[in-house]
Amino acid sequence: MLYCVSSGNRLLVFSSKNCRCAEDIPMISQLIRSNERAFWGVFFILFGSVFFGGFLYTAVISKLLPSSDNAIISAIQNDRYYCFLVPLTLPVIVVAVYFYWLSMKMFKHA
């Protein structure tokens, strides 16, 4: 006779003869969870890549192309906001990280 006991992430199958672990089988939910994590990982990488490509076109590549008759592409080429947005955001991030570090130091020693 076999007894099945769920223990954390594994299904343990015991034999009634010797009461030892006869088999260690991964649970189906663990396999589904690992596939789901892989899906979300690929999704976020693709999502970030698409937005990076769009930003790269808007900020750099469109400025190097000849003028276009399309109104949307012409507006992107003549825009002067997005080409400065990310380079000017980096110093702000550095200051924000410094203030975060400073506030955590003050909190720990208060």
Side-chain angles (χ1 to χ4, degrees):
M1 176 161 255
L2 294 175
Y3 297 100
C4 297
V5 178
S6 176
S7 171
N9 293 333
R10 299 208 179 269
L11 180 66
L12 303 175
V13 180
F14 294 96
S15 172
S16 62
K17 293 178 184 175
N18 54 12
C19 292
R20 290 187 333 175
C21 180
E23 196 173 346
D24 193 10
I25 304 170
M27 294 187 70
I28 294 174
S29 64
Q30 184 181 8
L31 295 174
I32 292 171
R33 194 177 316 125
S34 66
N35 289 337
E36 182 181 2
R37 292 177 74 187
F39 166 76
W40 284 112
V42 169
F43 173 76
F44 284 128
I45 288 174
L46 289 176
F47 187 75
S49 299
V50 167
F51 272 96
F52 177 75
F55 172 77
L56 189 66
Y57 175 79
T58 303
V60 178
I61 297 173
S62 68
K63 309 300 188 265
L64 303 174
L65 296 175
S67 298
S68 176
D69 294 334
N70 189 338
I72 295 173
I73 295 176
S74 178
I76 290 172
Q77 285 177 336
N78 296 329
D79 185 47
R80 295 290 173 227
Y81 175 74
Y82 287 106
C83 61
F84 296 118
L85 179 66
V86 170
L88 292 176
T89 303
L90 293 176
V92 174
I93 290 173
V94 169
V95 171
V97 168
Y98 171 72
F99 281 134
Y100 171 76
W101 173 81
L102 184 65
S103 65
M104 289 305 293
K105 280 292 190 183
M106 294 175 117
F107 178 74
K108 285 181 182 179
H109 296 291

